Amino acid sequence: MTLFTDFGLAQPILKALTAEGYEKPTPIQAQTIPYAMEGRDVCGIAQTGTGKTAAFALPILHRLSENPKPRRAKSPRVLVLSPTRELASQIADSFRTYGRNLRLTTEVVFGGVTISRQEKALANGVDVLVATPGRLIDLIDRRALSLREIEILVLDEADQMLDLGFIHALKRIVTMLPKERQSLFFSATMPKTISTLAESFLRNPAHVAVTPVATTAERVEQSIIFVQTGRKQVLLETLLRDPSIERVLVFTRTKHGADKVVRGLDKAGIVGAAIHGNKSQPQREKALAAFRAGTCRVLVATDIAARGIDVDGVSHVINYDLPNVPESYVHRIGRTARAGATGLAISFCNDEEKAYLKDIEKLTRLKVPVMPLPEGVPAASAVAETSEPRREQSQRNGQPQRGRPAPHARGHGGHGQSRSAEANADKGSQRRRSRGGKPAGNGQPQGGQPSGNQQRPAQGQRPAQGQRPAQAKPAANRSEGRRGDGAQVAWLEKSPRRR
Ligand code: AMP
């Protein structure tokens, strides 16, 4: 078993890790840290939630501390590029936390806030700069920043960078970096476009990879409620009356939709806040802080805004709207299974969204159990209640429509049908990007499970939701079931909760 002390990290860093309560490295850390400490380039496939921030932050801090240099105005030694402000802030916080016993400084810059304070901070000199690409370029154009002294570059969430249209900014940034540097590149997915981008940043990289996306899906108890659009708000309010829903992230597809949900909650006397791209930075920070502190129980978010939000103790995710990109569904529900916790995800699905549900089930190779509308939420119309697709859906799940526990009740059992998303990825599709990838030389292959249908119980044999035992998720499904990433699962199950 690898321990943090096995890496040869500087004592002040080990001390900070002990203070954080980290006992042993996560699989992405165990794989990445040795290469990164050697000074090698790394190309990593890992999602948020796997511990990848420390996987790059720890070796970077070590290398800086081993080779101290006086700080130079406007010329950081490390540049970390992040697609969103929230993620950038969290990465900077991690550098400060792990580096708190070192004499190194970290600054974060992103758009949406006044640039002058950032210019001033850079003028004073910083060691580590975490930035979103747009603001970084603004600062360079204003001559407030130079990338000439960059020794180490990190490009985090590369797939998200491309989704957000940062490709041109990245191409420009790479031309301004010294050729002699170390580069660490991370992405949750590695389709061709991303690997091509990686090649332009990396030199002879070590490849590391953990946790195909399906693992997240397997850890989260999921259910779907078929409901007409006009009933979604009342359904949400009904569910939120359950006090066991302690801290809930509600996802909408649009910013406007998020605001509308919050206004509805407000009318119903439920405290909620929205977080999306139209909110100012102070508004976002205030909402996140209240959510973290527990004074605001419901945070309504769009996909982009929620990327990288790292809040422990999210008991539920509610998909008010189903995402039209199936990967987003997995990212969303992963918010409620941080650092080894299991969580519950409830999705609302109207008639138009049934096609999205099909895509999601294809990607995750999980059939999402159907839940009836809870008492007090009237079916929208007789037509909706008896519509063919809905009957089909519940029959396919082998589940009766009545007599099951409330959809949000815990302990309604797991899914016996875990599958690798990797094996199922539709490689030709733009929307469904391939997962995982082969880790080179790290001895931890990904995926490689037996073909799904061999293990999948026949439809009729699957227990109805209400009949499943509380711990119905079979051990094999949770650990041994995934060849090659048993270590990952062990960490997920045993790791102490942070903060
Ligand atoms: P990340 O993937 O970097 O967003 O990290 C996910 C969460 O795991 C964060 O809350 C980290 O603080 C936490 N974490 C990272 N490394 C470890 C570790 N070795 N042991 C326990 N928790 C960790």
Side-chain angles (χ1 to χ4, degrees):
M1 186 186 64
T2 315
L3 300 172
F4 280 115
T5 42
D6 297 337
F7 299 128
L9 287 163
Q11 276 306 325
I13 300 175
L14 291 175
K15 209 171 133 194
L17 291 176
T18 308
E20 275 299 282
Y22 292 4
E23 285 169 2
K24 54 183 197 290
T26 67
I28 190 71
Q29 291 162 4
Q31 291 181 52
T32 307
I33 292 173
Y35 289 127
M37 281 181 66
E38 274 173 27
R40 262 191 85 172
D41 282 7
V42 174
C43 182
I45 302 174
Q47 292 176 264
T48 44
T50 57
K52 82 177 146 62
T53 313
F56 61 76
L58 300 177
I60 288 175
L61 289 166
H62 174 82
R63 284 171 64 81
L64 294 186
S65 71
E66 292 291 288
N67 180 19
K69 285 186 186 169
R71 270 189 285 280
R72 291 181 53 175
K74 305 180 183 181
S75 300
R77 296 176 68 188
V78 175
L79 172 64
V80 182
L81 289 171
S82 149
T84 65
R85 313 170 202 187
E86 279 77 19
L87 185 62
S89 296
Q90 282 167 19
I91 293 171
D93 285 347
S94 296
F95 269 94
R96 291 183 188 119
T97 302
Y98 307 139
R100 64 175 161 226
N101 303 316
L102 298 166
R103 289 166 189 273
L104 294 167
T105 54
T106 299
E107 194 55 51
V108 59
V109 296
F110 44 67
V113 292
T114 44
I115 203 164
S116 53
R117 201 199 61 80
Q118 298 174 351
E119 287 177 325
K120 211 169 146 208
L122 291 170
N124 290 337
V126 297
D127 295 298
V128 178
L129 179 66
V130 187
T132 52
R135 179 52 61 98
L136 185 89
I137 286 184
D138 288 348
L139 286 160
I140 293 169
D141 289 345
R142 292 167 73 110
R143 300 189 186 285
L145 171 68
S146 155
L147 303 184
R148 276 195 298 271
E149 304 295 325
I150 295 292
E151 296 165 38
I152 309 175
L153 167 79
V154 179
L155 202 154
D156 198 18
E157 307 231 336
D159 50 352
Q160 191 68 7
M161 293 271 196
L162 293 203
D163 285 354
L164 291 175
F166 285 133
I167 183 74
H168 296 297
L170 293 178
K171 283 187 174 159
R172 207 181 139 201
I173 291 167
V174 79
T175 63
M176 293 186 262
L177 292 163
K179 292 220 164 14
E180 276 308 312
R181 61 165 198 268
Q182 181 183 18
S183 304
L184 309 171
F185 184 103
F186 290 90
S187 184
T189 58
M190 197 59 68
K192 188 84 190 93
T193 43
I194 309 285
S195 56
T196 308
L197 179 72
E199 279 163 25
S200 68
F201 275 85
L202 301 168
R203 273 205 317 210
N204 184 29
H207 290 268
V208 297
V210 289
T211 324
V213 71
T215 303
T216 306
E218 288 159 13
R219 272 178 13 232
V220 179
E221 297 277 349
Q222 298 158 64
S223 56
I224 190 108
I225 302 179
F226 291 103
V227 58
Q228 285 199 339
T229 313
R231 302 285 175 191
K232 283 186 174 184
Q233 185 74 30
V234 66
L235 172 59
L236 177 67
E237 288 161 21
T238 306
L239 293 178
L240 291 177
R241 271 185 221 125
D242 181 338
S244 82
I245 300 189
E246 291 155 17
R247 190 175 284 157
V248 58
L249 253 178
V250 177
F251 283 94
T252 59
R253 246 194 324 268
T254 65
K255 303 172 206 174
H256 174 70
D259 287 334
K260 210 168 144 204
V261 168
V262 172
R263 281 198 301 274
L265 291 179
D266 193 41
K267 278 192 200 135
I270 299 168
V271 181
I275 177 167
H276 54 65
N278 286 358
K279 297 277 178 191
S280 68
Q281 189 58 24
Q283 281 173 322
R284 288 164 172 232
E285 276 167 13
K286 198 172 149 207
L288 254 182
F291 189 57
R292 278 206 178 95
T295 48
C296 166
R297 187 174 148 237
V298 187
L299 189 66
V300 187
T302 55
D303 288 293
I304 300 298
R307 272 296 280 222
I309 290 181
D310 179 17
V311 180
D312 284 347
V314 173
S315 63
H316 292 67
V317 162
I318 294 182
N319 291 312
Y320 189 93
D321 300 314
L322 274 182
N324 52 4
V325 177
E327 280 86 356
S328 296
Y329 174 83
V330 182
H331 286 307
R332 288 178 178 191
I333 67 171
R335 304 296 98 192
T336 179
R338 310 288 286 176
T342 52
L344 277 99
I346 302 167
S347 303
F348 301 172
C349 179
N350 64 21
D351 284 341
E352 292 81 59
E353 291 167 318
K354 281 177 180 160
Y356 304 153
L357 176 63
K358 243 175 142 180
D359 282 350
I360 289 164
E361 292 184 333
K362 202 170 163 199
L363 175 77
T364 60
R365 308 199 88 189
L366 292 169
K367 187 104 220 137
V368 185
V370 182
M371 291 289 167
L373 283 166
E375 258 175 52
V377 181
S381 69
V383 177
E385 272 299 274
T386 57
S387 73
E388 194 50 34
R390 182 169 172 185
R391 273 213 319 268
E392 255 177 37
Q393 188 78 28
S394 30
Q395 281 162 7
R396 271 191 282 138
N397 281 298
Q399 292 166 357
Q401 279 291 298
R402 293 181 193 288
R404 275 173 282 133
H408 43 281
R410 278 190 179 270
H412 56 52
H415 317 288
Q417 59 271 56
S418 63
R419 298 294 168 262
S420 155
E422 200 176 25
N424 195 44
D426 176 357
K427 296 186 181 72
S429 156
Q430 275 286 8
R431 286 205 295 124
R432 280 180 223 112
R433 283 169 275 132
S434 67
R435 295 274 138 197
K438 266 189 223 129
N442 52 31
Q444 296 203 28
Q446 299 298 299
Q449 292 132 297
S451 116
N453 293 333
Q454 288 163 8
Q455 288 184 349
R456 199 172 191 137
Q459 297 289 346
Q461 291 166 7
R462 265 179 255 152
Q465 195 72 19
Q467 295 160 4
R468 290 179 193 162
Q471 293 300 323
K473 202 169 273 191
N477 187 24
R478 305 205 59 174
S479 49
E480 301 98 79
R482 300 195 65 76
R483 240 199 293 152
D485 62 357
Q488 169 75 8
V489 175
W491 172 72
L492 290 167
E493 289 180 347
K494 289 180 197 140
S495 165
R497 299 293 305 279
R498 201 174 61 118
R499 283 191 276 277

